[in-house]
Amino acid sequence: MKIADARVIVTCPDRNFVTLKIVTSSGVYGVGDATLNGRELAVAAYLQEHVVPALIGRDASRIEDTWQYLYRGAYWRRGPVTMSAIAAVDTALWDIKGKVAGLPVYQLLGGRSRDGVTVYGHANADTVDDVLPEIANYVDLGYRAVRVQTGIPGLASTYGVSKDRLFYEPADAALPTENTWSTAQYLDHVPEVFARVRDEFGPTLKLLHDVHHRLTPIEAARLGRSLEPYNLTWIEDPVPAELQEGFRLIRQHTTTPIAVGEVFNTIWDCQQLISEQLIDYIRATVVHAGGISHLRRIFDLANLYHVRSGSHGATDLSPVCMAAALHLDVAIPNFGLQEYMRHTEATDAVFPHGYHFADGYLHPSEEPGLGVDIDEGLAAQYPYRPAALPVNRLEDGTLHNW
Ligand code: CS2
Ligand code: MG
């Protein structure tokens, strides 16, 4: 079965998405997410100019050979643009393989290891008083885990506080908007948030918090220690993770679990973090870490070192990515949690899918393949809209991590 066509579809139903659709000579097709928030057109061009021409005529059943061809053949290895493009091809070929086999992809990955995929939602508001009802809303929806983010007193804006209750789109302007940041005010504020949340919801609700790369290791150590009384499931991205050994310093001071990896794109980004057990959850995801094939390798390495999965699942990852992630989530032995930020109705209409939420779990589709599609006619009605992620500055104007 040869690859006869491959189309790169850019669409913007409330936000930009890039989807690769690979069509075989027999008419069976598969889809893969290639969305990289704020850099969508870079991946679309990489696919259109450097990948699609080489795909035509290849054997669609040779997933691993195609992955190696695109990874080693690029010469310029790794990076979010290259690995998102490779991810889209890999995911689409797994979709095709499942359809040809007449099986949902998780059956090709070893079958079910669990009955459902535990997910977490995003409760966020400007103030602690306002975030409590948001948490209650997720509990009422049946979520077993909730991420909690609030504004920081004295700061006009900060990461993680959304204008919408169920989804969060930080790429809010054609050019980066500027946030202002104060580590001191943040470190003073966050423990108070979780003290209130625990008072309100008790000791068992799984609580998470995203630090979003904004601290130094010793500041992260202080935050982790200050949150220990509140027994969080994890603090996420406490520091930028280029310096993997830097996490040793955090580990020396706190038992608060650490989750890292949504910006990682190959196993090499987390090899030391995992093998030295410097983290507890790896958050790499299908669309940015080379697809199902490579993400499975990352999870298998993690399994050797007691590290569990905690894949990224923000609104800017399309339903195609979510559908693919769920097939891995339900099959791997070391699943931890899956982030599940909802998509808007317009997005869900462009990407009809079979996964569904019930009693705190997401359930993958039982259809052959991934169980997700793209309505190309509808997608064409939503042209691309330039949108950039914000930047962050300290109060003295120094450029900081957003
Ligand atoms: C966040 C994301 O979901 C998360 O954990 O880190 O909202 C992230 O900021 C966006 O995906 C960036 O596009
Ligand atoms: Mg995050």
Side-chain angles (χ1 to χ4, degrees):
M1 184 174 56
K2 300 294 185 191
I3 295 174
D5 186 22
R7 293 195 286 276
V8 180
I9 303 160
V10 181
T11 183
C12 187
D14 293 321
R15 72 148 344 268
N16 295 309
F17 294 106
V18 181
T19 306
L20 177 68
K21 180 171 183 175
I22 294 179
V23 186
T24 66
S25 47
S26 66
V28 176
Y29 67 86
V31 290
D33 187 15
T35 306
L36 183 64
N37 200 356
R39 297 293 181 272
E40 291 87 356
L41 296 188
V43 184
Y46 189 102
L47 282 166
Q48 195 64 61
E49 302 301 325
H50 307 296
V51 172
V52 166
L55 288 180
I56 306 304
R58 285 187 62 85
D59 179 346
S61 69
R62 297 179 65 172
I63 299 176
E64 186 62 41
D65 181 63
T66 300
W67 197 98
Q68 297 296 333
Y69 178 85
L70 295 174
Y71 180 77
R72 297 170 188 269
Y75 187 76
W76 314 106
R77 297 180 184 190
R78 304 168 68 182
V81 173
T82 297
M83 299 313 293
S84 296
I86 293 175
V89 175
D90 183 83
T91 304
L93 294 180
W94 274 105
D95 193 13
I96 290 167
K97 194 171 280 287
K99 288 177 178 176
V100 168
L103 291 169
V105 168
Y106 73 78
Q107 293 290 12
L108 305 179
L109 300 174
R112 281 183 178 276
S113 295
R114 57 196 54 77
D115 298 325
V117 172
T118 306
V119 293
Y120 71 89
H122 278 208
N124 65 84
D126 282 323
T127 68
V128 185
D129 288 335
D130 291 343
V131 85
L132 298 178
E134 298 304 314
I135 298 170
N137 178 50
Y138 276 101
V139 172
D140 293 345
L141 284 171
Y143 280 75
R144 301 161 188 263
V146 183
R147 190 189 88 163
V148 180
Q149 308 288 138
T150 70
I152 314 292
L155 298 183
S157 60
T158 190
Y159 161 75
V161 180
S162 167
K163 304 179 188 69
D164 302 288
R165 295 189 73 183
L166 286 178
F167 44 86
Y168 173 52
E169 181 44 69
D172 54 7
L175 292 174
T177 52
E178 303 226 344
N179 288 181
T180 304
W181 174 251
S182 161
T183 296
Q185 285 164 271
Y186 171 78
L187 289 174
D188 287 343
H189 176 65
V190 173
E192 293 171 8
V193 171
F194 286 94
R196 282 286 305 279
V197 173
R198 278 297 182 217
D199 282 348
E200 186 82 12
F201 293 95
T204 55
L205 178 63
K206 288 180 186 292
L207 297 175
L208 311 100
H209 178 68
D210 194 345
V211 187
H212 217 260
H213 325 277
R214 293 173 292 182
L215 301 180
T216 63
I218 198 63
E219 291 165 347
R222 174 183 155 193
L223 176 69
R225 184 175 287 185
S226 70
L227 292 174
E228 284 176 11
Y230 313 115
N231 191 25
L232 270 64
T233 297
W234 76 46
I235 53 172
E236 174 183 334
D237 287 331
V239 299
E242 292 93 331
L243 182 69
Q244 295 185 46
E245 67 197 52
F247 283 71
R248 291 175 188 154
L249 202 154
I250 307 172
R251 279 310 221 205
Q252 285 162 13
H253 295 280
T254 181
T255 57
T256 295
I258 297 171
V260 176
E262 67 181 51
V263 298
F264 293 171
N265 50 79
T266 74
I267 200 164
W268 300 109
D269 294 332
C270 50
Q271 186 267 336
Q272 185 178 8
L273 287 170
I274 290 172
S275 61
E276 289 192 21
Q277 300 180 48
L278 299 177
I279 60 174
D280 302 278
Y281 296 87
I282 179 67
R283 288 194 25 85
T285 188
V286 169
V287 61
H288 298 137
I292 290 171
S293 300
H294 194 61
L295 189 58
R296 179 61 195 260
R297 291 199 160 90
I298 292 173
F299 290 155
D300 286 347
L301 173 67
N303 194 33
L304 300 180
Y305 295 93
H306 304 289
V307 176
R308 285 172 285 181
S309 74
S311 285
H312 191 203
T315 305
D316 49 276
L317 286 56
S318 93
V320 174
C321 177
M322 182 53 74
L326 291 172
H327 287 278
L328 267 175
D329 288 340
V330 83
I332 59 172
N334 56 324
F335 169 77
L337 271 178
Q338 170 65 53
E339 179 178 7
Y340 179 41
M341 235 194 267
R342 309 271 175 134
H343 291 104
T344 65
E345 284 181 20
T347 296
D348 285 340
V350 170
F351 297 98
H353 53 268
Y355 64 80
H356 66 283
F357 178 82
D359 59 3
Y361 295 120
L362 264 181
H363 300 275
S365 166
E366 291 295 336
E367 296 164 44
L370 297 176
V372 63
D373 204 343
I374 182 167
D375 180 328
E376 292 190 70
L378 201 50
Q381 295 177 28
Y382 297 102
Y384 169 78
R385 186 175 61 210
L389 286 169
V391 297
N392 213 5
R393 290 187 185 274
L394 301 181
E395 289 166 300
D396 68 1
T398 304
L399 208 289
H400 195 62
N401 307 309
W402 174 73

